[in-house]
């Protein structure tokens, strides 16, 4: 009997790894071997991470990629990697660099080559970018900022509940690296989008997402136009950036599971 395929979930900025708990349960029941490790410096719980905010500071995109590559190296097989927001950028690099069998990038942060950033995305990023000192610090969202960036399509009550459950301080450095990616030849936000030997990639978009508007995800898709590897796209037209953790999360998870089955993964 073959071992179940590993699945590694990668969170983005401002959400704790426990935000994947529902997905881990569903993927486990579907016959996979899922796990959701946190970023470098994250503690096991939301409360501990908030208390030890300095431990997450100063980690950039390359640190996070290396962190997950090390975790993957200890697995029995190349995993499917599923990431949200900056986690979506991370999984694209892991796939392109040969660490994963397939990847799902849920509303991924912009990789190098994505130029147009709508005003709502700039408003969210400015939380960190307006102070250059934040590059080396941990940055937290307040409840109002979380409502705009994650819960804009949710009731105030549901947004607050998600904020209370999952919001954590995160390093500011990845935002600075993404913002300067198109001005740097060696940006850690650069992904080998021409790689035709990689496994399948699914990119999703939330049609009402403020943090990663659908235009960003569609532009990300265009970066792969020179690759013959499978690169699929799905837009959830009525969803915001909370699409993987809010009341409709299961619709997204079900779509991802069906996509994996279509590609015999």
């Amino acid at each position: 009997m073959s071992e179940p395929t590993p699945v590694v979930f990668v969170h983005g900025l401002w959400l704790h790894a426990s935000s994947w708990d529902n997905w881990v349960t569903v993927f486990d029941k579907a016959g996979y071997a899922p796990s959701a490790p946190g970023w470098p410096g994250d503690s096991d719980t939301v409360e501990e991470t908030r208390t030890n905010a300095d431990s997450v500071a100063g980690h950039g995109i390359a640190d996070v990629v290396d962190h997950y590559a090390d975790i993957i190296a200890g697995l029995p097989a190349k995993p499917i990697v599923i990431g949200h927001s900056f986690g979506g950028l991370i999984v694209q690099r892991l796939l392109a660099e040969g660490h994963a069998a397939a990847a799902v990038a849920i509303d991924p942060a912009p990789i190098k080559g994505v130029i147009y950033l709508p005003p709502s995305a700039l408003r969210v990023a400015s939380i960190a970018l307006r102070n250059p000192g934040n590059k080396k610090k941990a940055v937290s969202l307040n409840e109002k900022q979380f409502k705009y960036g994650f819960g804009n399509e949710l009731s105030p009550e549901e947004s607050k509940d998600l904020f209370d459950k999952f919001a954590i301080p995160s390093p500011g450095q990845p935002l600075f690296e993404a913002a300067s990616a198109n001005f740097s030849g060696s940006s850690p936000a650069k992904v080998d989008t021409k790689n035709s030997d990689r496994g399948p990639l699914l990119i999703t978009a939330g049609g009402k997402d403020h943090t990663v508007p659908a235009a960003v995800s569609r532009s990300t898709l265009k970066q792969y136009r020179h690759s013959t590897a499978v690169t699929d796209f799905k837009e959830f037209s009525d969803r915001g950036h909370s699409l993987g953790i809010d009341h409709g999360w299961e619709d997204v998870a079900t779509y991802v599971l069906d996509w994996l089955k279509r590609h015999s993964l």
Side-chain angles (χ1 to χ4, degrees):
M1 184 175 179
S2 61
E3 292 290 324
T5 301
V7 177
V8 176
F9 293 99
V10 184
H11 67 83
L13 295 177
W14 299 310
L15 291 180
H16 189 263
S18 59
S19 61
W20 289 113
D21 284 355
N22 286 331
W23 288 67
V24 168
T25 298
V26 166
F27 272 69
D28 182 61
K29 289 181 179 178
Y32 295 93
S35 62
W39 279 28
D42 285 0
S43 299
D44 290 339
T45 67
V46 170
E47 292 75 15
E48 290 173 328
T49 308
R50 290 171 178 169
T51 300
N52 300 300
D54 287 347
S55 66
V56 307
H59 293 292
I61 293 170
D63 295 332
V64 182
V65 172
D66 290 345
H67 172 75
Y68 283 96
D70 286 345
I71 291 171
I72 288 169
L75 297 176
K78 287 184 180 181
I80 297 160
V81 289
I82 300 175
H84 171 247
S85 198
F86 261 94
L89 187 161
I90 301 302
V91 301
Q92 289 177 78
R93 277 201 50 183
L94 291 170
L95 179 66
E97 293 167 25
H99 299 292
V104 178
I106 300 174
D107 295 12
I111 62 175
K112 183 175 181 178
V114 175
I115 298 173
Y116 172 64
L117 295 180
S120 66
L122 295 173
R123 177 175 169 182
V124 175
S126 70
I127 294 166
L129 298 179
R130 61 193 175 198
N131 181 355
N134 284 335
K135 185 174 182 179
K136 296 183 179 180
K137 295 180 180 179
V139 180
S140 297
L141 300 183
N142 59 37
E143 190 177 323
K144 182 178 179 181
Q145 291 165 337
F146 185 92
K147 179 69 170 71
Y148 182 83
F150 287 85
N152 61 296
E153 286 301 303
L154 306 179
S155 68
E157 293 77 16
E158 183 175 7
S159 182
K160 182 180 187 307
D161 180 59
L162 295 176
F163 175 80
D164 291 342
K165 284 182 178 178
F166 301 129
I168 60 169
S170 293
Q173 187 170 337
L175 281 165
F176 285 86
E177 291 173 334
S180 63
N182 293 317
F183 305 99
S184 171
S186 58
S187 169
K190 183 179 181 180
V191 176
D192 180 7
T193 56
K194 296 180 180 179
N195 182 355
S196 295
D197 297 323
R198 60 165 173 82
L201 169 65
L202 170 64
I203 299 169
T204 83
K208 296 186 178 180
D209 192 335
H210 278 172
T211 301
V212 184
V216 173
S217 295
R218 286 193 290 267
S219 180
T220 299
L221 176 67
K222 290 179 181 178
Q223 307 311 309
Y224 287 92
R225 62 190 179 277
H226 299 298
S227 172
T228 59
V230 171
T231 311
D232 291 335
F233 182 79
K234 169 64 177 177
E235 181 172 339
F236 297 89
S237 60
D238 62 340
R239 307 299 299 280
H241 202 54
S242 65
L243 78 174
I245 59 173
D246 60 31
H247 62 276
W249 70 270
E250 200 163 6
D251 294 339
V252 184
T254 298
Y255 185 91
V256 171
L257 282 168
D258 289 344
W259 179 82
L260 291 171
K261 291 176 183 177
R262 289 200 300 273
H263 293 289
S264 302
L265 293 163

